[in-house]
Coordinates of all heavy atoms in Angstrom, one line a residue:
Chain T
E98 N 82.2 0.4 -103.9 CA 81.5 -0.6 -103.2 C 80.3 -0.2 -102.5 O 79.3 -0.9 -102.3 CB 82.5 -1.3 -102.2 CG 83.0 -0.4 -101.0 CD 84.3 0.2 -101.3 OE1 84.7 0.4 -102.5 OE2 85.1 0.4 -100.3
N99 N 80.3 1.1 -102.0 CA 79.1 1.6 -101.4 C 78.0 1.9 -102.4 O 76.8 1.7 -102.1 CB 79.5 2.9 -100.6 CG 80.5 2.6 -99.6 OD1 80.4 1.7 -98.8 ND2 81.6 3.4 -99.6
M100 N 78.4 2.4 -103.5 CA 77.4 2.7 -104.6 C 76.7 1.4 -104.9 O 75.5 1.4 -105.2 CB 78.1 3.2 -105.8 CG 78.9 4.5 -105.5 SD 77.8 5.8 -105.0 CE 77.1 6.3 -106.6
L101 N 77.4 0.3 -105.0 CA 76.8 -1.0 -105.3 C 75.8 -1.4 -104.2 O 74.7 -1.8 -104.5 CB 77.8 -2.0 -105.6 CG 78.7 -1.8 -106.8 CD1 79.9 -2.8 -106.9 CD2 77.8 -2.0 -108.1
K102 N 76.3 -1.3 -103.0 CA 75.4 -1.6 -101.9 C 74.1 -0.8 -101.9 O 73.0 -1.3 -101.6 CB 76.1 -1.4 -100.5 CG 77.1 -2.4 -100.1 CD 77.6 -2.2 -98.7 CE 79.1 -2.2 -98.6 NZ 79.6 -1.6 -97.4
A103 N 74.3 0.4 -102.3 CA 73.1 1.4 -102.3 C 72.2 1.2 -103.4 O 71.2 1.9 -103.6 CB 73.6 2.8 -102.2
N104 N 72.5 0.3 -104.3 CA 71.7 0.1 -105.5 C 71.6 1.3 -106.4 O 70.6 1.5 -107.0 CB 70.3 -0.4 -105.1 CG 70.3 -1.9 -105.0 OD1 71.0 -2.6 -105.7 ND2 69.4 -2.4 -104.2
L105 N 72.7 2.1 -106.3 CA 72.7 3.3 -107.2 C 73.2 2.9 -108.6 O 74.1 2.0 -108.6 CB 73.5 4.4 -106.6 CG 72.8 5.0 -105.4 CD1 73.8 5.8 -104.6 CD2 71.7 5.9 -105.8
K106 N 72.7 3.5 -109.6 CA 73.1 3.1 -110.9 C 74.6 3.4 -111.1 O 75.1 4.4 -110.6 CB 72.3 3.8 -112.0 CG 70.8 3.4 -112.0 CD 70.1 4.1 -113.1 CE 68.6 3.9 -113.1 NZ 67.9 5.1 -113.4
M107 N 75.2 2.6 -111.9 CA 76.6 2.8 -112.1 C 77.0 4.1 -112.8 O 78.1 4.6 -112.7 CB 77.2 1.6 -112.9 CG 77.6 0.4 -111.9 SD 78.6 1.0 -110.5 CE 80.2 1.2 -111.4
N108 N 76.1 4.6 -113.6 CA 76.4 5.9 -114.3 C 76.4 7.0 -113.3 O 76.8 8.1 -113.7 CB 75.4 6.1 -115.5 CG 74.0 6.3 -114.9 OD1 73.7 6.1 -113.8 ND2 73.1 6.7 -115.8
N109 N 76.0 6.8 -112.1 CA 76.2 7.9 -111.1 C 77.7 7.9 -110.6 O 78.1 8.9 -110.0 CB 75.3 7.6 -109.9 CG 73.9 7.9 -110.3 OD1 73.6 8.5 -111.3 ND2 73.0 7.4 -109.4
F110 N 78.3 6.7 -110.7 CA 79.5 6.6 -110.0 C 80.6 7.6 -110.4 O 81.1 8.3 -109.5 CB 80.1 5.2 -110.3 CG 81.5 5.0 -109.8 CD1 81.7 4.9 -108.5 CD2 82.5 4.9 -110.7 CE1 83.0 4.8 -108.0 CE2 83.8 4.7 -110.3 CZ 84.1 4.6 -108.9
D111 N 80.8 7.8 -111.7 CA 81.9 8.7 -112.1 C 81.6 10.1 -111.6 O 82.5 10.8 -111.1 CB 82.0 8.7 -113.6 CG 82.7 7.5 -114.1 OD1 83.4 6.8 -113.3 OD2 82.5 7.1 -115.3
W112 N 80.3 10.5 -111.6 CA 80.0 11.8 -111.3 C 80.2 12.1 -109.8 O 80.7 13.1 -109.4 CB 78.5 12.1 -111.7 CG 78.1 13.5 -111.5 CD1 78.3 14.5 -112.5 CD2 77.6 14.2 -110.4 NE1 77.8 15.7 -112.0 CE2 77.4 15.6 -110.8 CE3 77.2 13.8 -109.1 CZ2 76.9 16.5 -109.9 CZ3 76.7 14.7 -108.3 CH2 76.5 16.1 -108.6

Side-chain angles (χ1 to χ4, degrees):
Chain T
E98 67 261 30
N99 299 312
M100 301 296 282
L101 290 172
K102 283 191 225 161
N104 272 331
L105 287 165
K106 292 186 190 141
M107 277 308 286
N108 64 351
N109 291 344
F110 171 70
D111 285 337
W112 191 87

